[in-house]
Amino acid sequence: MSQELIEIDGGTMEGGGQILRMSLAFSALLKKPIKVFNIRAGRSKPDLGVNLMRDITNGRLQGAQEGSTEITFYPGNIVGGKYFADPGTAGSVMLLFQVSFPCLLFADKPSELRFRGGTNAEMAPQIDETLMIFKPIVKLFQADFSCTIQKRGYFPRGGGEVNFKVNTCPSHLQAVEILEAGEVVEIEGRSFVAGVLPIKMAHGMADGACRCLKSAFPNVTVKVERVKEPDHLAVGNGSGIVLKAKTSTGCLLGGSALGKRGVLVEEVGESAAKQLIDVVKNKACVDTYVQDQLVIFMALAKGKSRICIGSPTLHTKTAIYIAELMTEAKFTLIENGTEPIILECEGFGFQR
């Protein structure tokens, strides 16, 4: 392991947890120790992803106590196996998955993850988005996993329980090209409520989304499932909607929203629909929530990946910054007048 400590400002660009999660993942994979400072000052609890990565790598960790704004991480070897994490809050299980998944692809054996927390939380992908949209896209890189939702959990109680199985990849990830957006051929979705919230709210979100989508895509079939989560399979009260569009070239695009107090359910559905419509108008091949999640896989892959992203988000630019800081991967944003922007990466071909 390299003993030269890489220092990273956790407040750079987008800041927040993304810099910490990506830094931890690259640190574990490359066995490069890191010091991340200026991490979300005022947090009530340390980022659980830090402790999870310590366990996965049998590494050493300094500064992960409550209220800490700085951590130093010395990774060991990534070891496949069974891991459990529970923040005791509605913290997103998907953020725990984001930091651990790329690393466990290169473990010595398949792994099982059991996470507790929020399954449909603000400021994180809803678990439905990950399964409906992210999972089939990342599989193109030959990165694969399965997921079983035991219970769903919502703010503020959390309490969701999710099991992941992560398969090891071949010797390296495969570079991908996703450049032709195509035309939308079908749209499906899931509108849900849980706890004391009535099923009519799920219908309201779905109806709002369907009206908006049918106006934008009059010749496309739109089907949105309306669900009242069984009480024994959900903890707390929650509502939301996730939409997925499939195009003629096989692209998968999403839009989502969570219900909020004081916001009409129809407006929640319309918000998710408008997100999806905007992505289609931009002729992007991936949506704004997926594009930054693909950066780490593009960097790790062997060869040149090219993905039409429409326009980069600050999250994506932040992910690129960390990837180039810690690896030999090189990213380029290709602009051609009014055409959608292409994100290109010469991956460094990480091997187990």
Side-chain angles (χ1 to χ4, degrees):
M1 180 180 72
S2 167
Q3 291 302 311
E4 182 179 351
L5 197 66
I6 300 175
E7 296 196 6
I8 301 166
D9 184 351
T12 299
M13 301 178 73
E14 180 270 338
Q18 184 188 38
I19 287 179
L20 181 58
R21 289 189 296 275
M22 286 198 65
S23 300
L24 286 166
F26 281 127
S27 172
L29 287 161
L30 302 175
K31 295 186 180 180
K32 293 181 177 180
I34 57 171
K35 177 180 179 180
V36 185
F37 59 93
N38 195 23
I39 304 171
R40 293 183 298 172
R43 294 173 305 148
S44 60
K45 289 186 179 239
D47 193 303
L48 191 68
V50 175
N51 294 327
L52 176 62
M53 292 308 296
R54 177 200 60 200
D55 295 343
I56 287 173
T57 64
N58 289 316
R60 286 193 296 120
L61 181 62
Q62 300 171 0
Q65 67 272 14
E66 186 170 324
S68 172
T69 61
E70 178 178 301
I71 64 103
T72 303
F73 178 56
Y74 293 89
N77 294 322
I78 296 172
V79 179
K82 296 183 179 181
Y83 296 97
F84 171 74
D86 179 5
T89 68
S92 173
V93 298
M94 301 318 303
L95 298 184
L96 291 169
F97 178 71
Q98 276 187 9
V99 69
S100 55
F101 174 51
C103 301
L104 291 173
L105 288 169
F106 296 94
D108 55 335
K109 59 185 177 182
S111 299
E112 296 181 14
L113 303 169
R114 186 162 65 97
F115 296 150
R116 288 180 181 163
T119 56
N120 301 75
E122 292 279 6
M123 307 300 291
Q126 293 193 48
I127 194 166
D128 308 273
E129 291 177 276
T130 296
L131 298 180
M132 293 165 63
I133 301 165
F134 172 80
K135 185 179 188 295
I137 294 175
V138 80
K139 193 171 183 179
L140 299 175
F141 290 90
Q142 297 187 344
D144 193 24
F145 68 94
S146 61
C147 173
T148 302
I149 304 171
Q150 303 291 348
K151 285 186 179 181
R152 290 175 179 264
Y154 308 98
F155 180 85
R157 293 176 62 186
E161 298 182 12
V162 181
N163 296 334
F164 293 96
K165 290 185 178 180
V166 179
N167 302 316
T168 56
C169 70
S171 60
H172 57 77
L173 295 180
Q174 179 69 47
V176 304
E177 281 204 353
I178 311 174
L179 298 174
E180 297 295 330
E183 301 295 328
V184 174
V185 294
E186 63 181 48
I187 299 173
E188 61 183 61
R190 186 177 193 274
S191 179
F192 65 88
V193 294
V196 300
L197 303 182
I199 185 66
K200 69 178 182 180
M201 293 180 64
H203 287 297
M205 290 185 292
D207 291 343
C210 287
R211 282 194 296 270
C212 198
L213 291 168
K214 288 178 179 178
S215 176
F217 309 108
N219 299 318
V220 176
T221 299
V222 180
K223 296 181 180 179
V224 180
E225 181 184 17
R226 296 113 189 276
V227 179
K228 167 73 173 180
E229 304 289 5
D231 289 343
H232 68 287
L233 297 179
V235 178
N237 305 314
S239 64
I241 184 170
V242 175
L243 303 170
K244 177 183 75 173
K246 183 177 181 179
T247 76
S248 55
T249 56
C251 293
L252 300 176
L253 309 169
S256 65
L258 290 172
K260 294 181 180 179
R261 188 182 299 273
V263 179
L264 295 176
V265 290
E266 291 81 3
E267 293 177 357
V268 175
E270 289 171 1
S271 174
K274 288 175 182 177
Q275 287 178 21
L276 182 53
I277 293 167
D278 286 345
V279 174
V280 174
K281 285 182 177 179
N282 287 335
K283 299 180 180 178
C285 292
V286 296
D287 62 56
T288 53
Y289 292 109
V290 167
Q291 61 172 247
D292 66 289
Q293 296 181 64
L294 299 181
V295 167
I296 189 169
F297 301 97
M298 297 175 77
L300 294 171
K302 183 178 182 180
K304 183 180 290 185
S305 293
R306 304 175 74 225
I307 301 176
C308 178
I309 63 170
S311 59
T313 64
L314 182 55
H315 274 81
T316 297
K317 292 178 180 179
T318 304
I320 292 170
Y321 167 75
I322 296 297
E324 292 190 329
L325 175 68
M326 297 196 65
T327 77
E328 297 176 359
K330 299 298 179 185
F331 286 83
T332 306
L333 291 168
I334 301 173
E335 301 184 48
N336 184 19
T338 59
E339 294 297 313
I341 294 174
I342 294 173
L343 177 60
E344 183 177 279
C345 173
E346 188 67 48
F348 69 100
F350 180 77
Q351 291 186 301
R352 190 163 48 243

